[in-house]
């Protein structure tokens, strides 16, 4: 897992200029940032589909592979 994460991080570093929003030069796109964004988008999608807050957090937790609500809350800042 760590090798794959490192490969993705290296890819982002080498090719960031091709897909990062040019208006966001104040922050660098990172693997961890992508995970946070995906977690937030998935949570919002779950809520919009009618899941409760707890159900949505549990779903996102499983998706991220943490299986712990307290970690998911960090990703979601909730």
């Amino acid at each position: 897992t760590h090798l794959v994460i490192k490969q993705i991080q290296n890819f982002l570093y080498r090719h960031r200029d091709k897909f990062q929003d040019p208006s966001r030069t104040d922050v660098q796109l990172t693997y961890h940032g992508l995970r946070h964004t995906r977690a937030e988008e998935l949570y919002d999608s779950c809520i919009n589909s009618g899941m409760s807050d707890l159900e949505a957090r549990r779903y996102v937790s499983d998706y991220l592979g943490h299986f712990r609500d307290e970690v998911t809350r960090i990703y979601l800042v909730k």
Side-chain angles (χ1 to χ4, degrees):
T1 303
H2 294 289
L3 177 60
V4 172
I5 291 171
K6 186 65 176 167
Q7 290 171 337
I8 294 170
Q9 289 170 333
N10 288 339
F11 176 84
L12 290 173
Y13 179 76
R14 287 191 308 271
H15 302 285
R16 184 178 288 133
D17 61 319
K18 296 177 181 112
F19 48 82
Q20 182 167 338
D21 183 349
S23 68
R24 296 296 314 264
T25 57
D26 56 322
V27 293
Q28 296 294 321
L29 184 64
T30 65
Y31 173 80
H32 202 73
L34 290 173
R35 280 180 60 86
H36 275 269
T37 299
R38 178 62 183 141
E40 291 170 358
E41 289 175 349
L42 184 57
Y43 173 83
D44 289 344
S45 175
C46 289
I47 293 296
N48 290 336
S49 72
M51 285 185 181
S52 71
D53 177 58
L54 179 60
E55 290 171 322
R57 287 195 325 266
R58 285 181 177 165
Y59 185 85
V60 172
S61 178
D62 291 350
Y63 178 86
L64 294 174
H66 290 299
F67 307 102
R68 295 187 340 253
D69 186 50
E70 61 272 12
V71 175
T72 304
R73 286 176 183 259
I74 293 168
Y75 273 85
L76 298 175
V77 192
K78 297 197 183 296

